[in-house]
Amino acid sequence: MFSYARHAQAIFLAFIPRNTRRLSKTCGIKQCSSFEASTFSRSLSPKPIMGSLPALDEPLQYPLARRDESVIDDYHGVLVSDPYRWLEDPDADEVKDFIEKQVKLTESVLSKCDTREKLHEKVTTLFDHPRYTTPFKRGNKYFYFHNTGLQAQNVLYVQESLDGEAEILLDPNGLSEDGTVSLNTCAVSEDGIYLAYGLSSSGSDWVTIKVLRVDNKIVESDTLLWVKFSGISWTHDNKGFFYSRYPAPNREEEGIDAGTETNANLNHELYYHLLGTDQAEDILCWRDPENPKYMFGAEVTDDGKYILLYIDESCEVVNKVYYCNISTLPKGLESFRETNNLLPFVKLIDKFEARYHAIANDDTEFTFLTNKDSPKYKLVRVDLNEPTAWTEILKESDKDVLESAIAVNGNQVLVSYLRDVKYVLQIRDLKTGSLLHTVPIDIGSVDEISARREESTVFIRFTSFLTPGIIYQCNLETKFPELKVFREIVVPKFDRTEFNVNQVFVTSKDGTKIPMFIVAKKNISLDGSHPCLLYGYGGFNVNLTPSFSVSRIVLTRHLGAVFCVANIRGGGEYGEEWHKAGSLAKKQNCFDDFISAAEYLVSFGYTQPSKLCIEGGSNGGLLVAACINQRPDLFGCALAHVGVMDMLRFHKFTIGHAWTSDYGCSDKEEEFHWLIKYSPLHNVRRPWELSADKPSQYPSTMLLTADHDDRVVPLHTLKLLSTMQYVLCTSLEKSPQTNPIIGRIECKAGHGAGRPTQKMIDEVADRYSFMAKMLGASWID
């Protein structure tokens, strides 16, 4: 979901070829285990004000949405009404009319947000700076992505050497007038002659794969449709590549606008495409019709001999691993076009009990990164000729999570650990696991590594809350490897010395210590007067580790805001145990952690409820919606992006069935009772009726979605929006709910990936000007 991964484990990392890893974002500058009085001046906090301050001069006139009271479901003897079921049909005229009225309502509110234009101007100015990814090598050429500043999409460049002249290889900005066609994935053939790339339209997860020649930039005729949750992995003879797709839709569905449909994604298949042939001739390598929810990803090993098949059933951090020695196929892969047989895969791991990812192999001897009996991960080795004999190479750490491992420089491995939500890099011996070097990096994030086993040069991209980005180059052949700055990303008129970053550990409801980063202007007074934005995710083993953000720097500088990231349970910051502590029957821990983080910010004087905004996307959108249901008095504003809001029906739409590993499923009685307790759609209550002695209302709320979001389909947001407006507002003649409840519905956009720069800036200006208006924040020049 919002990290743009984990919601379909078969999604491979966009733009990054094999042996180049884009890591989960992380960062941090200053750590402390307790509050440091020397960091900020502190004074007594005023008495908290409940809820948000009335920000609009007159009550909103909400459009009335039809309620169909006849729609009632029986869940294990419990009757649950679903009066807005009709909002699940994106093609219905009534739904389109509903959306149009909500868009007009939202614009009427945003037009009164006086910081909107200033935010738009400042964010645009700061966003207009050159950005780069780490370079990677194929054949005798180097490739990297670059954005000059305000280009809608990043552009792929190629150069003969690191100091040679770079040429544009593929510019997605010329593929659509509005920048909504984006590059979803790509891979260069081993000889550097061909580029296979996947294009996505309007942010949809659906991808069309094309091929071009690197030397003359000519696009070949190859066109592969209905690709989804797929990587691209070339065979070393450079004749073709493996990819994954779903069956083409039925003939009556062929006219659908791909990305707006809601039907479940089932029967994933693995194919091999030979260059210059029609997709109809592609070789079906693997499928499993008896398990329609399985998802398949393929990876060719560094020596080109094996194809590894990774099988996932859900987002649980487990998989199966099969292999096929393609170098010993009597007549090669092409022979399978005539036989219609699947590839002869051998089952190495055939149980969903742990996650395995191959790091390297020497013929039949494979090294894997795994969480088998090691929730913080370790490195193990196995010989395919003795598949039951596994050897531990690098033991699980007591405290640190082994984030990644990449074979480099022959028989070395670059490992990345996560230690209290900050990165530690080491060079170890691939054979023994022994430590060779610790790579010195600042406290912060390593969000991208480009390295190959046959290369001695490694590229590492570093970022932090106050570091836009530094790409380091490291030569591992030297006796004492050092990081040298290869490129540095500079944001104009940004002075990091104006700000301070602090890490604190918040005590949650059950006593668990929850790390939280706090970013603010230096030497602020802790008197509860500051607008505050608290961000969270807490799910799917995703590490929500901080990174540089132009928009949040603008909030801190020009609205005087304090920005915070809470690393709540459900993520992977402390390994699989941390993840499981916030999933399934323990999902409530996520909400308790986030609420405790908010209470900490209030009690220590960073803010007060009327000035506190919470934000999250996808699973984080669920987090925000659940928290305003449970503690509406604690927040002044809420921004919930593309959230999973109907916890009883999410598994019925697109890839939602894969999320049952984190949430459970209402089809099972025990799990239904977990879900109904916190499902945002089913727990909207009038707070003034629940606590007469503490009159309160819901915070000002903006629910955000997009019409081509086929990950968390828009119906989740639409149903919650209509429910909140009805229960809190339109069902009463004079409702105490004066704080607005609005929805921002983006057109030609999806779950977040591939969104053009202008759309991102527009949304930032809209949501944060709404936040500023609702929290009473004034603009500071």
Side-chain angles (χ1 to χ4, degrees), residues 251 334 419 455 540 594 596:
R251 183 165 297 176
E334 294 94 325
R419 177 180 298 167
E455 300 288 340
F540 297 91
F594 203 55
S596 296

Side-chain angles (χ1 to χ4, degrees), residues 503-649:
Q503 187 184 35
V504 299
F505 290 83
V506 176
T507 302
S508 190
K509 185 177 181 180
D510 62 359
T512 302
K513 297 294 184 181
I514 308 300
M516 177 169 65
F517 288 100
I518 303 175
V519 185
K521 293 276 284 185
K522 283 186 175 179
N523 302 316
I524 65 170
S525 298
L526 297 184
D527 56 4
S529 64
H530 309 288
C532 183
L533 178 63
L534 173 62
Y535 192 89
Y537 187 81
F540 297 91
N541 200 45
V542 171
N543 301 327
L544 187 62
T545 46
S547 61
F548 187 82
S549 166
V550 163
S551 60
R552 289 162 184 165
I553 288 296
V554 171
L555 296 185
T556 305
R557 177 191 284 175
H558 294 288
L559 292 178
V562 177
F563 167 63
C564 311
V565 175
N567 299 109
I568 63 179
R569 282 172 286 185
E573 289 87 349
Y574 292 99
E576 185 57 16
E577 292 172 337
W578 190 258
H579 167 222
K580 290 182 176 178
S583 62
L584 300 174
K586 298 179 180 179
K587 187 64 179 175
Q588 181 59 39
N589 283 339
C590 302
F591 315 135
D592 291 341
D593 292 353
F594 203 55
I595 289 169
S596 296
E599 291 176 331
Y600 177 98
L601 294 168
V602 172
S603 64
F604 277 89
Y606 287 97
T607 191
Q608 57 185 274
S610 65
K611 291 185 174 294
L612 175 57
C613 177
I614 54 174
E615 183 177 23
S618 199
N619 175 76
L622 157 65
L623 169 71
V624 168
C627 285
I628 62 174
N629 278 342
Q630 295 181 17
R631 286 295 307 274
D633 60 300
L634 187 55
F635 315 109
C637 185
L639 305 172
H641 303 245
V642 293
V644 187
M645 306 305 194
D646 186 345
M647 301 309 297
L648 303 187
R649 289 175 59 79

Side-chain angles (χ1 to χ4, degrees), residues 250-271:
N250 298 327
R251 183 165 297 176
E252 59 269 19
E253 297 177 324
E254 287 182 353
I256 62 173
D257 184 4
T260 62
E261 76 288 348
T262 62
N263 51 298
N265 298 141
L266 300 172
N267 297 303
H268 212 221
E269 298 169 331
L270 177 69
Y271 282 88

